[in-house]
């Protein structure tokens, strides 16, 4: 992802062609979530669920690749089986991102991914069993690749940012009533 700047270590043993699932959910179009070279290697018979973003970029690309695309409007709950449901929620931020609530019978998994906390969801979905979220300060090269930032300042930024992220995760678990966190 990110033009080859990210890689797996240790090397991944499973290949995209080996994936055997009923559905794929893609939350947004950043290349660490929506990696077109990887998608081109996945079985086109697997339906892909995406948010119905106004710009339709992901939808267009997935259709060109040959996937069946299931668009979810924000707040819409769809059934994947008689026991599994997905609801897509809009984040508070300005980016094309999304939050997913996946329900397995009475078990609720809230995937915040990169979208952050949306306080307005608490009353709608409380309590959830598991919260998932990004756990680091993100895909930006700042401050590590910026020559205008000293190593000391870059280190301070990373420490403060990661500590802030841990506090945000604790807050999310608290307000959504989650017992568990999965990165």
């Amino acid at each position: 992802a990110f033009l080859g700047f990210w890689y797996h270590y240790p090397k991944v043993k499973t290949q995209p062609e080996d994936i055997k699932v009923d559905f794929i959910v893609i939350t947004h179009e950043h290349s660490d979530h929506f990696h077109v070279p990887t998608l081109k290697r996945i079985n086109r018979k697997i339906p892909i669920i995406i948010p119905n973003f106004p710009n339709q970029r992901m939808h267009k690309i997935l259709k060109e690749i040959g996937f069946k695309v299931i668009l979810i409007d924000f707040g819409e709950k769809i059934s994947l089986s008689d026991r599994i449901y997905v609801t897509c929620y809009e984040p508070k931020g300005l980016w094309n991102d999304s939050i997913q609530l996946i329900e397995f019978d009475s078990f609720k998994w809230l995937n915040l991914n990169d979208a952050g906390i949306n306080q307005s969801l608490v009353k709608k979905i409380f309590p959830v069993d598991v919260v998932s979220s990004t756990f680091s300060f993100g895909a930006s090269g700042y401050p590590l690749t910026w020559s205008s930032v000293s190593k000391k300042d870059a280190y301070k930024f990373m420490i403060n940012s990661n500590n802030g992220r841990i506090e945000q995760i604790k807050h999310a678990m608290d307000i959504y009533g989650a017992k568990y966190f999965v990165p």
Side-chain angles (χ1 to χ4, degrees), residues 95-112:
W95 303 108
N96 276 348
D97 207 332
S98 65
I99 297 168
Q100 278 69 40
L101 177 66
I102 302 173
E103 299 173 79
F104 307 88
D105 292 329
S106 63
F107 183 87
K108 294 196 271 185
W109 169 32
L110 183 66
N111 180 15
L112 300 173

Side-chain angles (χ1 to χ4, degrees), residues 33-132:
H33 298 259
F34 182 68
H35 190 247
V36 173
T38 300
L39 289 166
K40 286 181 176 179
R41 295 174 55 194
I42 292 175
N43 183 340
R44 305 303 195 282
K45 292 180 182 176
I46 302 171
I48 296 184
I49 300 165
I50 61 171
N52 191 9
F53 291 124
N55 67 23
Q56 296 292 302
R57 278 191 297 257
M58 284 198 308
H59 185 214
K60 181 182 175 205
I61 292 167
L62 289 168
K63 285 293 210 183
E64 286 172 0
I65 294 172
F67 282 103
K68 176 186 176 198
V69 179
I70 301 170
L71 293 171
I72 304 181
D73 290 326
F74 290 119
E76 179 183 6
K77 182 177 185 175
I78 66 166
S79 174
L80 302 183
S81 75
D82 60 342
R83 300 174 54 211
I84 302 172
Y85 300 88
V86 174
T87 309
C88 184
Y89 292 104
E90 193 167 19
K92 285 294 182 188
L94 300 174
W95 303 108
N96 276 348
D97 207 332
S98 65
I99 297 168
Q100 278 69 40
L101 177 66
I102 302 173
E103 299 173 79
F104 307 88
D105 292 329
S106 63
F107 183 87
K108 294 196 271 185
W109 169 32
L110 183 66
N111 180 15
L112 300 173
N113 69 80
D114 296 344
I117 295 171
N118 183 339
Q119 294 273 150
S120 67
L121 297 180
V122 175
K123 288 182 182 176
K124 294 177 188 174
I125 64 174
F126 185 90
V128 301
D129 297 283
V130 174
V131 166
S132 288

